[in-house]
Amino acid sequence: MGVPQAMAALRDKAALVRESLQKSQTITESMVSILGSFDHRLSSLETAMRPTQIRTHSIRRAHENIDKTLKAAEAILGRFDLTRKAEAKILRGPHEDLESYLEAIDQLRSNLQYFTTHKCFKRTSGVITHANNLLTKAISKLEDEFRNLLTNYSKVVEPDRLFDGLPDSLRPSATSPGKRNDSKKDSDNQKNSENAVYTPPTLIPPRVLPLLHNLAQQMVQAGHQQQLFRIYRDTRASVLEQSLRKLGVERLSKDDVQKMQWEVLEAKIGNWIHYMRIAVKLLFAGEKKICDQILAGIDSLRDQCYAEITANSVSVLLSFGEAIAKSKRSPEKLFVLLDMYEIMRELQSEIDYLFGTKSCTEMRESAQSLTKRLAQTAQETFGDFEEAVAKDATKTAVLDGTVHPLTSYVINYVKFLFDYKTTLEQLFQEFEESDTEAQLKTLTKRIMEALQTNLDGKSKQYKDPALTQLFLMNNMHYIVRSVRRSEAKDLLGDDWVQIHRRIVQQHANQYKRISWAKVLQCVTIQGAAPAGGGGILGGDSGSGISRAMVKDRFKNFNAQFEDLHMRQCQWNVPDSELRESLRLAVAEVLLPAYRSFHKRFGQVLPMAESGKNPCKYIKYKPEDLERMLSEFFEGKTCVEQKR
């Protein structure tokens, strides 16, 4: 085959391709026509089906609405059922089952809220009215139940139960709980015990507290806050006040205090200190605890309730302290004022906590004011004491020259003050920031100086100057010895003690000089010696002493010694060590002089008075004098001496 043949073959193939394309075009056109027909038919079908679709959708929506309505009806019927059940429980009252009663009120309140927000049927308003009336009755019964429950379980606390809540060291013994301990240091040890534990009494059983709390919450939700407030306040305030009265707390005015005998008043102050500790640490603390639990979550009502419950009791307690602080000042009140100041300081932190809310501001400030006033009165009384010591005008002198009552009173007062040293330093800081120890030292020295000045004045009442010196010696010795044995020594210092010991010695020396100088002159003759032989029996000798002079000396000695013995045996040196020291000092001067005189001149009289009794002149041997000196300063009466 050549080229022509190849071309013929390509033409044939091209013809076949053309034919195929024509057939494909024909088929495509046919398919387009068929599809167009389908589209037309589908449109017609859709048009025909649209009413059916609309009816189907409406039916579906109707079914949905029916379901919703059935569910709403079921919910409403359920609410009605719950309301009937709640009503049945409420009508039975809270006595049988309080918890179920509270649940019924909650359910009724929930139903009431439901019907209020679903006012979709005619009887809704009637249902709401009925539920409200029922709820009002329920809350009324709830108030009664709260009152009854609170009243039944609020019992007066017996004193013994309160004492059981105190630390062992502060519980009253067989003696009166208010009696002040004679040992202030023992009292301090009790109060300052680091391990002291106070246990407030159970005022309401713990199992009842949740019920009372739930009742209170229901009353608040019902808008009955004021009713709740009045019921709780009146019930608990009455019980608290009765508990304090049973303990012994009473309201006393300034006039009442002023009319009391000191012994009675002192006992009442001791009781008051005890009552304050019990009231604050036990009763008020217990009251706050139950108030916080019952009225938890109702803060403003809770704080106001607690404030009004305790207000009158706090007022009664603090008014007594105010009456004491404002009453007429006297030195013996200083220590009870310090005791009262101490207890207020001790309780200050508890008072600030218990009465720390705004509602309790007045009580908190009243307590702080009393503390300040007690401090001020105590400080003024301290100043009064110094002035009273300086101006003490007691005219009755101690006849035997012993320690004057003023001295022992002042020294015991000062010693007792040092048991309050810490308290005094706190008291000084109430008014000024300075060296409190220096202040105390200055005040103590001023009191001592006032005492010494007063004693100097009292010593001038004695007609016998020797007794004057003995009186001053006794009193100064008592002061020095007391200071040395007390904390005052650390404050006043060794120099003060040494200076005043020398003053004691000076008075002792003055006593010896005044009392014994003339007696010693009778048995002291410088260079004297007895004259020998009978030629000088009636006269003097230039080298000796006459018998007449010897007789006079013995006679005068006897008279003067007997006079001293008679008087000074009645004098008193109460300190045994000082008494023996003074006797020894006299003996060391008197006995050697008398022994020497007796030895040198005792033989003259028997020679001169032959046949006569020489004992008329020589009454005493040195041993007799020593024995008689041991009787000096015993404070014996004349009758005792004769015996």
Side-chain angles (χ1 to χ4, degrees):
M1 290 186 3
V3 173
Q5 292 176 334
M7 290 295 292
L10 286 172
R11 277 195 293 273
D12 291 339
K13 290 180 180 179
L16 286 171
V17 170
R18 190 180 301 112
E19 185 179 353
S20 295
L21 288 171
Q22 288 175 349
K23 287 181 179 180
S24 177
Q25 180 67 30
T26 303
I27 291 169
T28 298
E29 290 175 353
S30 296
M31 286 299 298
V32 170
S33 175
I34 291 169
L35 288 172
S37 175
F38 275 124
D39 184 54
H40 177 72
R41 290 176 182 176
L42 285 173
S43 297
S44 300
L45 182 61
E46 183 179 1
T47 302
M49 288 293 294
R50 186 171 293 114
T52 303
Q53 289 175 341
I54 291 171
R55 284 195 300 273
T56 302
H57 181 67
S58 298
I59 292 170
R60 188 185 305 114
R61 287 188 63 184
H63 278 293
E64 289 175 355
N65 289 335
I66 290 169
D67 287 340
K68 288 180 181 180
T69 302
L70 288 173
K71 287 179 181 179
E74 186 178 354
I76 291 169
L77 291 173
R79 291 286 179 174
F80 274 115
D81 187 49
L82 290 173
T83 300
R84 281 194 299 273
K85 289 179 180 179
E87 182 176 8
K89 290 180 181 180
I90 288 169
L91 292 175
R92 281 198 300 269
H95 305 294
E96 294 180 7
D97 188 347
L98 179 58
E99 290 187 13
S100 295
Y101 188 85
L102 293 173
E103 289 173 1
I105 290 177
D106 284 336
Q107 185 61 62
L108 184 61
R109 189 176 280 116
S110 173
N111 291 348
L112 186 59
Q113 184 179 6
Y114 175 84
F115 288 125
T116 301
T117 55
H118 293 79
K119 296 180 180 179
C120 52
F121 57 95
K122 294 180 180 179
R123 294 188 59 192
T124 298
S125 59
V127 171
I128 291 173
T129 301
H130 178 70
N132 273 322
N133 292 336
L134 189 60
L135 190 59
T136 300
K137 292 178 182 178
I139 297 301
S140 178
K141 289 183 179 181
L142 209 59
E143 278 185 30
D144 293 338
E145 182 65 14
F146 182 81
R147 181 185 290 104
N148 293 335
L149 201 60
L150 186 64
T151 302
N152 290 338
Y153 286 101
S154 292
K155 303 296 182 184
V156 174
V157 185
E158 296 294 328
D160 286 345
R161 280 185 62 206
L162 292 171
F163 298 152
D164 289 342
L166 294 170
D168 291 340
S169 59
L170 288 175
R171 291 179 187 175
S173 58
T175 58
S176 168
K179 186 175 181 180
R180 289 183 74 237
N181 196 330
D182 289 337
S183 172
K184 178 64 175 61
K185 289 183 179 178
D186 289 345
S187 179
D188 284 342
N189 290 337
Q190 291 173 357
K191 287 186 285 186
N192 294 332
S193 174
E194 293 181 2
N195 299 320
V197 176
Y198 293 83
T199 308
T202 301
L203 301 180
I204 291 177
R207 63 183 177 80
V208 180
L209 293 172
L211 296 177
L212 288 169
H213 170 67
N214 290 338
L215 288 168
Q217 292 281 16
Q218 291 287 357
M219 291 174 68
V220 170
Q221 288 179 35
H224 289 225
Q225 292 94 329
Q226 289 307 309
Q227 293 91 324
L228 169 64
F229 175 79
R230 283 194 297 272
I231 293 169
Y232 190 85
R233 177 199 61 193
D234 294 347
T235 304
R236 289 307 309 166
S238 175
V239 171
L240 176 61
E241 290 163 24
Q242 289 179 65
S243 298
L244 286 172
R245 277 198 298 273
K246 204 154 192 178
L247 183 64
V249 175
E250 56 184 332
R251 184 182 287 277
L252 293 171
S253 67
K254 180 183 173 183
D255 290 338
D256 295 330
V257 167
Q258 207 66 52
K259 293 173 185 175
M260 286 182 187
Q261 294 293 324
W262 168 242
E263 293 75 14
V264 176
L265 183 58
E266 186 179 27
K268 286 193 177 293
I269 291 171
N271 285 335
W272 179 84
I273 290 168
H274 202 58
Y275 299 156
M276 279 296 297
R277 189 179 284 114
I278 288 174
V280 173
K281 290 182 176 286
L282 300 181
L283 283 173
F284 295 159
E287 204 64 55
K288 181 171 178 59
K289 183 178 179 181
I290 63 168
C291 192
D292 287 348
Q293 289 178 282
I294 294 172
L295 302 179
I298 320 169
D299 293 351
S300 60
L301 189 66
R302 178 194 63 200
D303 295 342
Q304 187 64 28
C305 242
Y306 178 73
E308 296 204 18
I309 287 167
T310 53
N312 190 56
S313 296
V314 170
S315 173
V316 170
L317 286 163
L318 295 186
S319 66
F320 178 79
E322 288 286 346
I324 297 296
K326 293 177 181 177
S327 63
K328 185 178 179 181
R329 298 194 303 270
S330 60
E332 64 270 16
K333 285 184 182 177
L334 176 59
F335 299 108
V336 294
L337 285 167
L338 292 175
D339 286 337
M340 294 172 75
Y341 174 73
E342 271 187 353
I343 193 63
M344 292 304 297
R345 290 272 305 190
E346 178 189 330
L347 299 175
Q348 195 62 58
S349 59
E350 281 91 349
I351 290 172
D352 288 344
Y353 165 70
L354 293 172
F355 302 101
T357 64
K358 185 177 180 181
S359 301
C360 297
T361 300
E362 185 177 348
M363 287 178 281
R364 186 173 65 253
E365 290 178 350
S366 294
Q368 292 168 353
S369 173
L370 175 58
T371 304
K372 200 83 170 177
R373 184 179 289 277
L374 288 168
Q376 183 177 355
T377 306
Q379 189 178 52
E380 291 169 353
T381 304
F382 205 165
D384 292 345
F385 177 67
E386 179 190 344
E387 186 177 349
V389 171
K391 293 182 178 180
D392 180 77
T394 306
K395 296 296 182 184
T396 306
V398 285
L399 299 178
D400 57 2
T402 189
V403 176
H404 196 281
L406 177 66
T407 303
S408 56
Y409 174 69
V410 171
I411 293 302
N412 287 335
Y413 201 93
V414 171
K415 285 165 65 177
F416 214 31
L417 276 176
F418 277 88
D419 289 334
Y420 290 86
K421 183 180 177 184
T422 302
T423 305
L424 285 168
E425 289 175 350
Q426 291 173 343
L427 186 147
F428 293 147
Q429 287 177 341
E430 292 275 357
F431 304 101
E432 56 180 300
E433 293 291 337
S434 61
D435 187 344
T436 54
E437 187 167 302
Q439 277 186 281
L440 187 57
K441 180 177 181 179
T442 300
L443 286 169
T444 305
K445 281 188 172 182
R446 291 211 314 246
I447 290 172
M448 293 298 192
E449 289 167 4
L451 175 60
Q452 288 175 246
T453 302
N454 192 290
L455 290 172
D456 286 339
K458 285 180 169 35
S459 71
K460 292 178 172 59
Q461 298 177 42
Y462 296 106
K463 295 179 180 179
D464 189 333
L467 186 54
T468 295
Q469 297 302 320
L470 190 82
F471 170 78
L472 292 171
M473 177 198 73
N474 273 331
N475 283 272
M476 287 306 304
H477 179 267
Y478 181 86
I479 293 170
V480 172
R481 185 192 63 177
S482 299
V483 167
R484 287 179 63 196
R485 295 178 179 179
S486 73
E487 293 181 49
K489 178 179 179 293
D490 297 331
L491 193 69
L492 296 174
D494 290 329
D495 289 346
W496 188 95
V497 172
Q498 292 304 320
I499 289 169
H500 288 78
R501 286 183 70 180
R502 287 196 290 272
I503 293 173
V504 174
Q505 189 59 50
Q506 288 168 9
H507 289 306
N509 292 338
Q510 289 287 359
Y511 156 78
K512 286 190 298 181
R513 182 183 63 78
I514 295 169
S515 279
W516 296 97
K518 290 183 180 180
V519 179
L520 286 170
Q521 285 177 4
C522 294
V523 293
T524 304
I525 301 177
Q526 295 296 332
I536 57 170
L537 288 177
D540 294 331
S541 169
S543 60
I545 181 172
S546 69
R547 295 181 191 83
M549 185 177 292
V550 171
K551 284 191 282 186
D552 286 343
R553 291 297 177 89
F554 273 112
K555 183 178 178 181
N556 289 337
F557 176 84
N558 294 338
Q560 291 184 34
F561 183 79
E562 287 167 2
D563 178 61
L564 286 176
H565 180 265
M566 182 185 69
R567 288 186 293 111
Q568 296 195 16
C569 281
Q570 298 176 55
W571 296 0
N572 191 4
V573 178
D575 183 81
S576 58
E577 186 178 338
L578 179 62
R579 184 169 61 245
E580 288 303 319
S581 174
L582 192 59
R583 287 171 179 168
L584 182 60
V586 172
E588 285 176 346
V589 176
L590 179 65
L591 294 181
Y594 183 79
R595 191 176 285 115
S596 175
F597 189 83
H598 185 277
K599 183 177 180 181
R600 295 171 66 186
F601 299 106
Q603 301 302 317
V604 173
L605 296 184
M607 293 169 59
E609 303 290 335
S610 56
K612 294 183 180 180
N613 184 7
C615 293
K616 178 181 179 182
Y617 301 103
I618 307 176
K619 285 187 176 182
Y620 305 109
K621 296 176 183 179
E623 295 77 15
D624 296 328
L625 296 183
E626 188 172 4
R627 176 184 55 78
M628 293 174 75
L629 281 174
S630 69
E631 297 172 352
F632 276 54
F633 317 127
E634 291 286 354
K636 293 180 179 179
T637 63
C638 295
V639 175
E640 289 173 324
Q641 289 185 61
K642 289 176 182 178
R643 289 176 183 172

